Amino acid sequence: MSHAHPGASNRAAAHRPRKLSAIALFVAGLAAASGAIAQGFNMTAAIGVYSPRSSTFWLDGNYDRTPDMLHKYGQLGDIGLLADPVGSGSRAPVVFRNGTWLFDLDRNGAPDRTVVFGAAGDIPLVADVDGDGKDDLVVWRGNGQWQVNTRMDGTVQYAFQFGGGRGDVPLIGDVNGDGSVDLVIYNRGSWYVSLNRGSAVQQTYAHTVAGGETPFLFDYDGDGRDDLTVIVAGTWHVKSTTGQTAAAPFAFGGAGDHPLYFGRGIAPNPRANAARLLQQATFGPTETEIARVQSIGATAWVDDQLNRAHTPLPPMGWFPQNRPQPPTGTVWPTCTYAFYSSGAVYNTATPCNCSGVAGTTDQCERDVYSNYRLQNEFFTRAAAAPDQLRHRVAWALSQILVTSSLQDPIAYPMRDYQQLMLNNAFGSFESLLTAITLSPWMGNYLDMVRNDGSPAARARGVVPNENFARELLQLYTIGLWELRPDGSQLADAAGNPIPTYEQDDVVELSRALTGWSYPPLPGQTPAFNRGINYIGMMTPIEGPLNGTGTVNYHDTGAKSWLGWNQPANLRAAQDVGAALSIAANHPNTGVYIGKQLIQQLVTSNPSPQYVSRITAVWNNDGAGNRGNLRAVVRAILLDAEARAPRNPVVSTFGKLKEPALYVMSLLRAFDGTTDGAYLRTPLASMGQNVYNSPTVFNYYQQDYVVPGTNLAGPPFQIFDATSYFARTNFTYNLIYHATCDTGQLTSPSICGQGPDATVFGAVGTKINWQPFKPLAVDPVQLVDAMSMRLLHERLPRTLRTQAINAVAAVALSATPTQTQLLDRVRMAAYVIASSPKYQVEY
């Protein structure tokens, strides 16, 4: 190299990034906007700075020049960098401290990996030198010596000699876009490049501004070439190696800050944007619906779904609680599956054989006295119902307004309860609340049925059961603590959270809910101790007031709760109506239920602003209506936070796919068909036995916090080693343990679990792999196509390489057989579908 001077460090005096005023932010935004028009290439990078004085990483992923993440880590004198040492596709903070690298891979502010490499005075750099998709550690010494550690063990795998003159500043990156990193030296406005990492200069560039600059390399426009950047007092000046210049320099950080490159920022991806909406509003994206969203737009798609004709659950008729047994010497006719699926009511005159004897036609025990059929109906509708949004919202509501078949395994009442969810998914929340309150299924589950409020009961010291009253407040409407519209807790003068209700409120509310019993069957008269019947709504037993006997089992005394007074002598329906109106219209209800709907549909950690916007719609749909679920669901899905492209810096958006969504989204991705029978058991093994919630708190609690973080992650409560392997086993069995078609030129192509002969109209669970088989001769093409199908973008570099290698390991003969091609397709699908990246929604 022509210049030979003593080495120089690129570290400058520490200074906390200056906070821009509102005016300055506006001006900066205006300049950025005008620059986007004038410049030849536009910003697509996620960038940041490390402030040594405050030991803080400031990262911006959406080009607005304001930090999306502030992460405090390190101590005075550290050099901050970003690195991806494991090839996850996301860079994490690391500080270099006198030869020790301290990684914070989980971003919790504490080191979780330490590597000793280099020494005090070395300049640390990070780059993927060996091209394996993982960042390597690089140190540069003033004599021009570069050392590289690719194994993260402190040893040297590569050593280079380049630069070393007075004023030299080392940089490393890919300036010519060939996929291989280059060695770069900056010195007083000149950029010297070694493309082959040898000691000779092979390329020279010029880019400088006034003195005091910090040089930096990062890919400004996402074209695969690192661009030349000079930063002076927080102002970034960018020029590409092809000569294009960002017309408007932009401000981020301040003097003394160390520039950082996080990676590609928000990138335009219409397919991914459409798929994100479908992840939130359906049981999984399909190719047809992705194209439709891209064609008509998110708003039109949501409105179309809100107005779609409903596909209800099939009727399921009444059967007695206990399986009837024929008298000795009597043989009753055997009922076929078609009888149960027709919604026929049990006929006492000519009863069916419900003895539970196994057989290909007699499935009474399974089809009537378990929720087997209803679970199958859930899966078939999740897979193919045209009114996907209604079914998805009903599923979400069923996990907020919880009942469970564990209380009583008979099929028909849970069917009717879930139909209430479907019927009211886009209606008034108060109407839905009324429907579930008077449902005999709910009455049985939380003990409102036969809740005795009569004077005789009081005289005996019997008090009304409090179960439903408590859960109505705690879980179904207002929650435990008073909330602001943004979901944050209100506090009293001592800083303590303020309870929404007291025990006295529960006692008084339980009195308002007394006097209801099971509805009578045809031909029966209403009675307080009438036998169990779940069809219809509960009946108030008020004696002479409504001709239901001689005793009024409803407590007619005055009640006072939550600051409201309900006068004496109200009828049972009046007391219930008043109580539900108070609960439904409480200021807490909109934010408490609305936030849970956001968590169920979109993201586990919505911003306070997002929650506030939904609360406002809950409180007033624009026409003065409160609790309009149609308007609330629409606002949730079309909110700017839901529709924004994923910001790579903000890692709190999105959620873990709960088991039902993981299973169904995988099947829908390949346009699979199912009768549901196969999917029940795998889903239960993952911790989500459909309609069999273990408690009234659902399969998981909505405020569950992921251990070691401060982030809510409700589905993570049922995600552990056991359930993870259950997910992987399901994916493997669906893809590999299957029977395939035969006899066609393309066979085997349609594969899956065969139909169960005892299931009426059974088709099994099948996937047609034929569209991918022509791609199987090229592992790269196959993996990229499979990645686009499942992830809607290319895999991160390391995972992509691993997937390609796994597919290539499936050997093909000179003339590949159809089975060999299928095996490659299966491998690609399995590797991606079982990966952590597929199991989350971004």
Side-chain angles (χ1 to χ4, degrees):
M1 197 165 188
S2 60
H3 60 288
H5 312 290
S9 170
N10 63 346
R11 285 171 286 173
H15 176 69
R16 183 183 180 88
R18 55 192 173 91
K19 294 184 178 179
L20 299 178
S21 67
I23 295 176
L25 285 174
F26 175 78
V27 172
L30 186 62
S34 62
I37 297 173
Q39 68 196 25
F41 62 134
N42 298 322
M43 177 91 150
T44 63
I47 61 171
V49 295
Y50 181 72
S51 174
R53 178 172 297 178
S54 62
S55 301
T56 303
F57 289 81
W58 305 62
L59 303 178
D60 169 32
N62 61 354
Y63 332 128
D64 64 359
R65 321 298 189 254
T66 56
D68 298 310
M69 177 189 295
L70 277 70
H71 182 68
K72 193 170 183 63
Y73 180 58
Q75 64 187 37
L76 191 64
D78 287 347
I79 301 175
L81 305 101
L82 295 171
D84 180 12
V86 295
S88 67
S90 178
R91 309 187 93 193
V94 56
V95 294
F96 180 80
R97 184 180 302 160
N98 297 326
T100 299
W101 302 69
L102 302 161
F103 294 86
D104 183 13
L105 299 178
D106 57 8
R107 301 176 191 167
N108 67 351
D112 43 36
R113 186 171 187 176
T114 301
V115 178
V116 177
F117 182 64
D122 287 348
I123 295 178
L125 301 162
V126 172
D128 180 11
V129 176
D130 58 0
D132 66 351
K134 304 175 184 179
D135 280 338
D136 307 313
L137 309 183
V138 182
V139 292
W140 186 85
R141 289 172 180 161
N143 60 3
Q145 185 182 70
W146 305 63
Q147 294 185 346
V148 183
N149 175 214
T150 62
R151 300 173 185 168
M152 295 292 156
D153 60 0
T155 62
V156 177
Q157 278 71 58
Y158 298 96
F160 310 114
Q161 187 70 40
F162 185 64
R166 182 180 180 84
D168 283 356
V169 179
L171 301 159
I172 190 166
D174 183 5
V175 297
N176 62 351
D178 66 354
S180 178
V181 295
D182 312 309
L183 308 183
V184 180
I185 291 292
Y186 175 85
N187 195 303
R188 292 190 291 271
S190 294
W191 303 69
Y192 304 93
V193 182
S194 171
L195 298 175
N196 63 1
R197 304 173 198 167
S199 59
V201 176
Q202 296 172 298
Q203 187 69 52
T204 304
Y205 301 98
H207 178 50
T208 187
V209 292
E213 71 271 17
T214 298
F216 188 53
L217 284 175
F218 78 107
D219 187 1
Y220 179 91
D221 58 345
D223 67 350
R225 297 170 179 259
D226 283 331
D227 301 302
L228 316 177
T229 307
V230 177
I231 305 166
V232 180
T235 298
W236 301 47
H237 305 260
V238 184
K239 179 180 180 180
S240 76
T241 55
T242 60
Q244 291 177 307
T245 300
F250 60 88
F252 190 75
D257 292 341
H258 186 82
L260 302 170
Y261 176 48
F262 188 82
R264 192 171 187 185
I266 290 177
N269 189 333
R271 176 186 171 85
N273 294 342
R276 185 182 302 106
L277 171 63
L278 296 171
Q279 286 176 339
Q280 298 161 357
T282 73
F283 284 91
T286 65
E287 291 299 289
T288 298
E289 288 303 293
I290 289 173
R292 191 159 183 270
V293 173
Q294 289 184 255
S295 173
I296 67 176
T299 299
W301 187 91
V302 170
D303 287 341
D304 175 71
Q305 280 287 311
L306 288 170
N307 294 309
R308 280 286 178 105
H310 173 40
T311 53
L313 295 168
M316 297 183 184
W318 179 88
F319 270 74
Q321 285 301 110
N322 298 314
R323 292 188 293 275
Q325 302 294 324
T328 302
T330 301
V331 179
W332 287 343
T334 296
C335 282
T336 64
Y337 189 103
F339 175 81
Y340 306 131
S341 64
S342 70
V345 175
Y346 177 76
N347 187 339
T348 54
T350 55
C352 283
N353 180 359
C354 284
S355 61
V357 177
T360 58
T361 56
D362 177 15
Q363 294 294 335
C364 177
E365 182 173 7
R366 180 194 72 185
D367 297 332
V368 173
Y369 294 103
S370 80
N371 63 8
Y372 179 89
R373 282 192 300 141
L374 183 60
Q375 288 180 322
N376 290 356
E377 296 294 344
F378 168 82
F379 293 121
T380 58
R381 280 156 176 73
D387 53 333
Q388 278 283 302
L389 180 57
R390 182 182 293 271
H391 285 271
R392 177 68 189 275
V393 172
W395 174 240
L397 288 168
S398 76
Q399 296 189 76
I400 298 172
L401 309 172
V402 178
T403 61
S404 174
S405 289
L406 294 182
Q407 66 167 321
D408 188 343
I410 195 168
Y412 77 90
M414 180 59 91
R415 178 268 171 202
D416 291 351
Y417 187 81
Q418 295 306 321
Q419 191 60 52
L420 288 180
M421 300 293 113
L422 289 161
N423 291 344
N424 293 276
F426 303 148
S428 158
F429 181 73
E430 187 171 341
S431 297
L432 174 58
L433 202 61
T434 301
I436 70 160
T437 298
L438 298 182
S439 161
W441 182 244
M442 176 64 82
N444 180 287
Y445 186 54
L446 290 179
D447 304 311
M448 181 174 155
V449 72
R450 298 174 183 162
N451 204 7
D452 194 344
S454 67
R458 292 197 298 274
R460 297 193 308 269
V462 176
V463 297
N465 189 288
E466 299 172 2
N467 275 0
F468 182 70
R470 179 171 286 103
E471 305 309 352
L472 175 65
L473 297 178
Q474 178 181 346
L475 299 178
Y476 299 165
T477 55
I478 67 178
L480 290 173
W481 310 107
E482 289 192 14
L483 304 172
R484 297 183 181 89
D486 66 3
S488 60
Q489 289 183 0
L490 286 166
D492 59 21
N496 299 312
I498 304 171
T500 51
Y501 63 90
E502 305 290 347
Q503 174 60 22
D504 288 347
D505 296 313
V506 175
V507 171
E508 291 290 283
L509 176 58
S510 67
R511 294 176 53 221
L513 302 176
T514 54
W516 298 82
S517 188
Y518 292 105
L521 288 168
Q524 295 179 335
T525 58
F528 191 68
N529 292 313
R530 177 62 62 200
I532 294 175
N533 168 37
Y534 294 119
I535 290 182
M537 292 292 147
M538 289 190 294
T539 300
I541 307 299
E542 299 176 284
L545 292 178
N546 65 348
T548 55
T550 60
V551 178
N552 186 351
Y553 287 91
H554 176 61
D555 186 333
T556 59
K559 295 100 180 168
S560 179
W561 62 290
L562 292 185
W564 293 84
N565 295 316
Q566 292 181 220
N569 299 315
L570 291 181
R571 299 287 296 273
Q574 292 175 311
D575 257 346
V576 166
L580 296 182
S581 179
I582 292 169
N585 291 285
H586 189 282
N588 246 45
T589 301
V591 59
Y592 183 66
I593 302 298
K595 182 177 179 180
Q596 289 187 69
L597 283 171
I598 296 173
Q599 291 179 308
Q600 284 283 337
L601 300 176
V602 177
T603 178
S604 293
N605 293 276
S607 71
Q609 296 79 12
Y610 188 4
V611 177
S612 289
R613 292 190 292 270
I614 301 309
T615 302
V617 174
W618 184 289
N619 293 340
N620 187 340
D621 65 356
N625 301 309
R626 191 180 187 93
N628 180 350
L629 292 175
R630 171 185 291 265
V632 169
V633 168
R634 186 178 190 276
I636 287 172
L637 294 174
L638 297 179
D639 188 86
E641 189 165 324
R643 299 279 51 81
R646 183 171 66 90
N647 186 330
V649 169
V650 182
S651 58
T652 60
F653 186 84
K655 61 191 181 72
L656 175 70
K657 288 177 183 172
E658 60 185 282
L661 296 180
Y662 175 70
V663 167
M664 298 314 304
S665 63
L666 181 59
L667 195 63
R668 282 174 59 83
F670 298 113
D671 296 317
T673 58
T674 186
D675 54 27
Y678 168 66
L679 303 177
R680 299 168 56 260
T681 301
L683 202 64
S685 69
M686 299 177 202
Q688 200 168 39
N689 191 348
V690 172
Y691 302 141
N692 284 327
S693 174
T695 75
V696 72
F697 296 98
N698 191 26
Y699 307 97
Y700 44 78
Q701 293 177 274
Q702 60 92 15
D703 57 354
Y704 178 77
V705 175
V706 179
T709 76
N710 60 355
L711 299 175
F716 277 100
Q717 192 170 17
I718 56 172
F719 186 79
D720 54 20
T722 300
S723 61
Y724 175 77
F725 284 115
R727 289 176 178 233
T728 305
N729 288 339
F730 161 75
T731 305
Y732 183 85
N733 291 333
L734 178 68
I735 294 172
Y736 283 103
H737 285 182
T739 58
C740 299
D741 61 320
T742 58
Q744 304 297 317
L745 292 177
T746 58
S747 296
S749 290
I750 302 173
C751 305
Q753 308 299 319
D756 182 341
T758 69
V759 174
F760 183 71
V763 297
T765 298
K766 300 284 188 178
I767 292 174
N768 184 354
W769 300 107
Q770 184 55 35
F772 291 93
K773 287 171 67 177
L775 309 177
V777 293
D778 183 346
V780 174
Q781 187 179 15
L782 174 60
V783 167
D784 286 346
M786 191 67 71
S787 178
M788 291 301 295
R789 177 64 65 94
L790 293 175
L791 303 175
H792 318 293
E793 61 184 1
R794 180 177 285 189
L795 283 165
R797 184 171 179 178
T798 302
L799 182 56
R800 180 172 180 262
T801 299
Q802 293 170 343
I804 291 170
N805 291 341
V807 169
V810 179
L812 298 182
S813 54
T815 301
T817 67
Q818 292 295 315
T819 297
Q820 289 171 341
L821 296 175
L822 174 62
D823 285 345
R824 279 197 166 186
V825 172
R826 284 170 156 175
M827 177 62 76
Y830 174 69
V831 168
I832 297 174
S834 60
S835 70
K837 189 169 179 64
Y838 182 71
Q839 303 199 38
V840 294
E841 298 176 12
Y842 290 108

